[in-house]
């Protein structure tokens, strides 16, 4: 079954290669057929069919190794890459922007392998742009910076003028065109860099720590611009951040990188619910049967984040001050360095991080019944 | 001692009255030096770019050689080009010796290492992210290279101005290759040397004053451009 599927996939790819020289209309048609066949093969990818797919990516530089088994980007979706300094966020974004070539693995854009083909790489680069942390502005005026990408695409000067004007307005710097770029404040410079990227109307916008070196007021403006353009243009965004609040505020998917390894895509222990306040007690109901006690000043709909390392797993109910305790079952155990990441079913799926030693000591096993406990103060509400 | 005062008086007179002989000499100097500088830029810029931005075997050696050539003695350049262009030399049939072209060749050879060495340091000073930024904005590798050169534009212009300053003040190669022929290859420097030895201090001083002004001017422009690059 699987083999059959693969040969079908390859067939349609060959066809794609053959018809490359033909008219755009025809290749559009071809694309349609391809996504139909991948839909038939992978029904799970139906709701957000990815246009960018990374598989088995390995990136090595100066003893550092980045490894990303799979990363898919769907149109109009936002992804946050979180992780401590040195975890490989920048390397990953630079690889996505093709500033660094992957040592192994492949990058597919709209069903075509991009890496290693100069023509495809250039086509891909025209659809994807990266705004670096502490962005570099050319030593020219703001207008020429923002118009640069259009000019290298051979866009007419009239159009460049109109679009630059609009782009500067969109980032709230309408009269900045003739200013020297190197005299701007950091926040202003970052906004100019954002305008310079957004003017290209990219399919995928990559942002490396977009608000890291920027004052609070500029950071707010930058966040607003990001969420506004995403909803307006159906552009996909991948950005890195230290700031988990920002990650969850702006995106639907949070991916974490640690020591160059990309962990499970998707949010870990992130839940959404309504705050139910009774006297002296605040709870957020996740399902009709599961409610988590929290302390918060927020009301209405909130996000909850339960750090996996704060979740205690035991064979028997714990006699402790922790207010959240649930019976559950271990559904998964995955080694993650010296630790083991447990998937727990307590009515919702919860992830816990424990050491290999304690996993062995208390005799846990997949399928086994356990008690899951965490303190009210461990639950982050935003 | 009065010859100095007389010479000065005569120099002022020549400059104020815009003496035609004097202006002719200045024109030859400026023309020859400009063309030589232009040629040196055409050759020296690509060399500088290649050494600064590409990795190839012998790259450091190339950079060292260019830096050493900055100290190239002008009379040695004169000697080498002379032996090439003289009647009995391999390029004697071109009949170029004692023409402005011969001076231009010698001075261009002097200027190429200057343009290259300054271009290398200007390009090395450009932030690596400039090229990367261009690529992320959709530039082709060639367009990204152009963007980097544009970022170094003040430094590169400074390199060109510096080599103009060097060749216009140079006397050895100009004398040996041009021969100081009046109206043709007589430059400011060769005229100063000759007029001084003849005891004609007036013209020598007038030309000396103009040469100083041009050389200082070039240096001021050079400093100004370097300031911009930072």
């Amino acid at each position: 079954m699987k083999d059959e599927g693969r040969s079908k996939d390859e067939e349609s790819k060959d066809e794609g290669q053959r018809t490359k020289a033909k008219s755009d209309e025809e290749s559009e048609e071809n694309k349609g057929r391809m996504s139909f066949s991948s839909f038939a093969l992978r029904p799970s990818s139906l709701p957000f069919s990815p246009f960018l797919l990374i598989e088995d990516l390995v990136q090595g530089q100066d003893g550092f190794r980045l490894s990303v088994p799979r990363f898919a980007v769907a149109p109009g979706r936002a992804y946050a890459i979180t992780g401590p300094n040195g975890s490989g966020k920048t390397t990953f974004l630079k690889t996505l922007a093709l500033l660094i070539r992957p040592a192994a693995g492949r990058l597919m854009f709209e069903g075509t392998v991009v890496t290693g083909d100069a023509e495809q790489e250039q086509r891909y680069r025209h659809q994807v742009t990266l705004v670096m942390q502490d962005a570099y502005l050319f030593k020219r005026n703001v207008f020429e910076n923002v118009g640069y990408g259009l000019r290298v695409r051979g866009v007419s000067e009239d159009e460049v003028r109109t679009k630059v004007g609009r782009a500067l307005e969109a980032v709230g710097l309408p009269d900045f065109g003739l200013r020297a770029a190197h005299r701007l404040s950091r926040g202003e410079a970052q906004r100019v860099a954002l305008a310079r990227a957004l003017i290209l109307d990219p399919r995928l916008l990559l942002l490396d720590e977009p608000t890291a070196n920027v004052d609070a007021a500029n950071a707010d403006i930058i966040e607003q611009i990001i969420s506004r353009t995403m909803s307006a243009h159906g552009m996909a965004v991948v950005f890195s951040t230290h700031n988990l609040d920002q990650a969850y505020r702006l995106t639907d998917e949070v991916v974490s990188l640690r020591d160059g390894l990309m962990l499970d895509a998707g949010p870990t222990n992130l839940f959404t619910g309504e705050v139910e306040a009774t006297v002296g007690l605040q709870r957020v109901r996740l399902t009709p049967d599961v409610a988590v006690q929290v302390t918060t000043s927020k009301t209405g709909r909130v996000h909850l984040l339960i750090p996996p390392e704060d979740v205690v797993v035991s064979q028997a109910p714990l006699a402790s001050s922790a207010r959240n305790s649930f019976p559950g079952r271990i559904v998964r155990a995955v080694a993650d360095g010296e630790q083991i990441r447990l998937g727990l079913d307590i009515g919702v799926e919860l992830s816990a991080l424990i050491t290999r030693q304690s996993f062995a000591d208390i005799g846990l096993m997949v399928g086994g019944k356990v008690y899951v406990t965490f303190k009210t103060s461990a639950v982050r509400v935003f | 001692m009065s010859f100095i005062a007389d010479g000065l008086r005569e120099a002022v007179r020549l400059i104020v009255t815009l003496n035609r002989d004097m202006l002719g000499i200045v024109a030859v100097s400026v023309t020859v030096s400009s063309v030589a500088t232009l040629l040196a830029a055409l050759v020296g810029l690509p060399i500088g770019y290649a050494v600064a931005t590409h990795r190839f075997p012998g790259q450091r050696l190339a950079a060292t050689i260019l830096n050493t050539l900055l100290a190239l003695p002008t009379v040695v350049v004169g000697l080498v080009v002379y032996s090439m262009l003289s009647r009995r030399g391999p390029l004697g049939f071109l009949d170029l010796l004692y023409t402005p072209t011969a001076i231009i060749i010698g001075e261009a050879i002097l200027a190429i290492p200057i343009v290259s060495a300054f271009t290398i340091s200007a390009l090395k000073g450009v932030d690596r992210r400039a090229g990367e930024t261009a690529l992320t904005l959709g530039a082709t590798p060639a367009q990204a290279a152009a963007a980097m050169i544009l970022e170094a534009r003040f430094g590169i212009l400074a390199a060109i101005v510096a080599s103009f300053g060097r060749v216009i003040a140079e006397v050895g190669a100009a004398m040996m290759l041009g021969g100081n022929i009046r109206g043709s290859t007589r430059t400011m420097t060769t005229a100063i040397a000759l007029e001084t030895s003849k005891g004609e201090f007036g013209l020598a001083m007038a030309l000396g004053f103009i040469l100083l002004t041009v050389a200082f001017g070039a240096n001021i422009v050079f400093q100004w451009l370097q300031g911009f690059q930072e």
Side-chain angles (χ1 to χ4, degrees):
Chain A
M1 170 76 194
K2 215 176 168 190
D3 273 357
E4 200 190 313
R6 197 182 301 148
S7 70
K8 217 186 241 169
D9 224 21
E10 237 145 59
E11 224 176 85
S12 66
K13 202 159 71 197
D14 280 348
E15 228 175 289
Q17 300 275 333
R18 271 203 304 275
T19 52
K20 214 188 221 166
K22 291 189 187 168
S23 75
D24 273 350
E25 271 173 34
E26 262 188 76
S27 64
E28 273 306 322
E29 201 181 290
N30 215 318
K31 243 184 293 176
R33 201 165 346 141
M34 274 188 61
S35 57
F36 174 75
S37 77
S38 52
F39 148 67
L41 288 165
R42 283 191 295 272
S44 64
S45 66
L46 179 61
F48 298 108
S49 170
F51 65 97
L52 175 67
L53 181 63
I54 282 177
E55 283 175 340
D56 304 318
L57 174 86
V58 176
Q59 189 63 268
Q61 263 192 337
D62 313 318
F64 175 79
R65 195 182 140 95
L66 170 74
S67 138
V68 179
R70 189 189 137 91
F71 183 74
V73 178
R77 302 273 286 172
Y79 306 79
I81 314 287
T82 64
N85 281 333
S87 55
K89 301 190 296 283
T90 299
T91 308
F92 180 58
L93 288 174
K94 282 190 166 180
T95 309
L96 280 183
L98 285 192
L99 287 179
I100 320 175
R101 291 221 160 68
R106 51 187 203 155
L107 191 155
M108 296 202 1
F109 181 64
E110 293 175 336
T112 311
V113 176
V114 168
T115 32
D117 177 338
E119 201 181 306
Q120 291 296 336
E121 283 186 11
Q122 194 59 35
R123 188 180 76 97
Y124 174 74
R125 279 213 188 95
H126 275 194
Q127 310 283 339
V128 175
T129 187
L130 164 69
V131 179
M132 296 188 223
Q133 180 178 7
D134 202 1
Y136 182 83
L137 297 184
F138 298 119
K139 288 179 185 160
R140 293 181 237 173
N141 65 28
V142 168
F143 180 94
E144 287 179 75
N145 267 281
V146 177
Y148 180 82
L150 294 178
R151 283 188 174 151
V152 299
R153 283 166 173 74
V155 171
S156 76
E157 281 305 302
D158 276 351
E159 198 178 336
V160 171
R161 250 191 309 275
T162 325
K163 284 193 166 174
V164 170
R166 238 183 284 149
L168 285 175
E169 225 154 84
V171 298
L173 302 171
D175 300 320
F176 274 57
L178 294 177
R179 297 234 199 153
H182 59 276
R183 300 236 170 83
L184 301 178
S185 79
R186 273 192 161 172
E188 288 164 352
Q190 202 66 21
R191 279 152 70 187
V192 168
L194 201 55
R196 184 172 68 177
L198 289 173
I199 198 173
L200 302 173
D201 212 355
R203 302 280 310 276
L204 171 60
L205 175 65
L206 307 167
L207 302 160
D208 193 4
E209 300 267 3
T211 58
N213 296 314
V214 162
D215 59 276
N218 272 303
D220 278 350
I221 295 173
I222 289 170
E223 277 193 14
Q224 282 167 26
I225 298 166
I226 295 172
S227 44
R228 199 168 59 214
T229 31
M230 252 165 38
S231 53
H233 296 267
M235 163 179 78
V237 177
V238 176
F239 74 97
S240 67
T241 181
H242 282 84
N243 181 337
L244 266 184
D245 286 356
Q246 184 183 51
Y248 286 116
R249 200 161 48 236
L250 292 177
T251 66
D252 341 83
E253 278 184 47
V254 177
V255 176
S256 85
L257 259 177
R258 269 212 346 235
D259 300 326
L261 178 71
M262 186 170 282
L263 303 173
D264 269 4
T268 305
N269 296 354
L270 177 76
F271 304 100
T272 309
E274 296 276 341
V275 177
E276 298 173 355
T278 50
V279 184
L281 190 70
Q282 288 163 302
R283 302 200 301 186
V284 176
R285 189 161 293 284
L286 308 182
T287 70
D289 299 325
V290 181
V292 173
Q293 284 199 29
V294 298
T295 50
T296 179
S297 55
K298 291 197 157 82
T299 54
R301 202 165 175 77
V302 293
H303 294 297
L304 296 190
L305 180 72
I306 305 162
E309 51 276 15
D310 291 336
V311 177
V312 178
V313 181
S314 58
Q315 291 275 37
L318 287 186
S320 77
S321 64
R323 305 296 297 271
N324 289 303
S325 190
F326 306 90
R329 205 165 47 81
I330 300 180
V331 291
R332 195 175 16 229
V334 183
D336 177 4
E338 272 312 290
Q339 293 182 308
I340 288 185
R341 188 173 283 269
L342 297 178
L344 306 161
D345 180 8
I346 58 167
V348 294
E349 187 168 333
L350 194 67
S351 184
L353 208 53
I354 64 173
T355 62
R356 278 171 189 269
Q357 193 61 43
S358 53
F359 185 74
D361 283 354
I362 51 179
L364 298 176
M365 55 186 172
V366 175
K369 286 184 70 174
V370 288
Y371 287 86
V372 176
T373 310
F374 48 88
K375 296 189 347 188
T376 304
S377 58
V379 181
R380 293 180 57 190
V381 183
F382 50 91
Chain B
M1 286 290 274
S2 72
F3 72 93
I4 296 180
D6 291 345
L8 271 176
R9 216 171 296 131
E10 174 67 2
V12 171
R13 191 187 68 78
L14 288 172
I15 292 174
V16 170
T17 59
L18 296 174
N19 178 274
R20 282 185 74 179
D21 272 356
M22 180 196 73
L23 288 183
I25 294 168
V26 173
V28 169
S29 256
V30 170
T31 313
V32 164
S33 305
S34 303
V35 176
T37 304
L38 192 72
L39 270 181
L42 288 178
V43 179
L45 283 181
I47 294 177
Y49 178 76
V51 175
T53 59
H54 289 69
R55 289 198 181 162
F56 54 88
Q59 178 187 30
R60 281 189 56 179
L61 184 70
T64 311
I65 290 174
L66 283 174
N67 277 320
T68 313
L69 287 179
L70 287 177
L72 200 59
T74 63
V75 286
V76 173
V77 172
L79 172 66
V80 170
V81 178
Y82 185 98
S83 53
M84 292 287 145
L85 296 183
S86 74
R87 279 282 154 73
R88 289 172 298 156
L91 299 175
F93 65 93
L94 293 174
D95 222 9
L96 285 176
L97 197 59
Y98 303 134
T99 64
T101 309
I103 308 181
I104 288 170
I105 293 171
E107 294 192 335
I109 291 174
L110 276 174
I112 287 168
I114 302 174
V115 175
S116 300
F118 278 98
T119 300
I120 291 171
S121 76
L123 283 172
K124 289 228 156 134
V126 173
D127 197 315
R128 262 192 54 190
R129 293 176 304 160
E132 291 184 344
T133 300
L135 287 177
T136 62
L137 295 170
T140 61
Q143 287 169 327
M148 279 193 67
I149 293 173
L150 264 174
E151 288 299 278
R153 62 195 179 282
F154 292 112
I156 290 172
L157 270 178
I160 292 169
V161 171
S163 47
F164 180 80
R166 161 104 157 142
V167 296
I168 203 164
E170 177 287 324
V171 63
M175 185 71 97
M176 293 169 78
L177 300 171
N180 195 35
I181 300 166
R182 188 176 165 191
S184 160
T185 60
R186 181 168 294 180
T187 66
M188 286 193 273
T189 54
T190 59
I192 291 170
L194 181 84
E195 297 304 308
T196 306
S197 62
K198 284 193 337 200
E200 297 278 346
F201 291 105
L203 182 55
M205 283 182 178
L207 288 171
F209 181 75
I210 294 171
L211 183 57
L212 265 183
T213 310
V214 173
F216 282 175
N219 202 50
I220 288 169
V221 172
F222 172 77
Q223 301 287 347
W224 180 68
L225 288 169
Q226 290 257 300
F228 262 106
Q229 189 60 49
E230 275 135 38

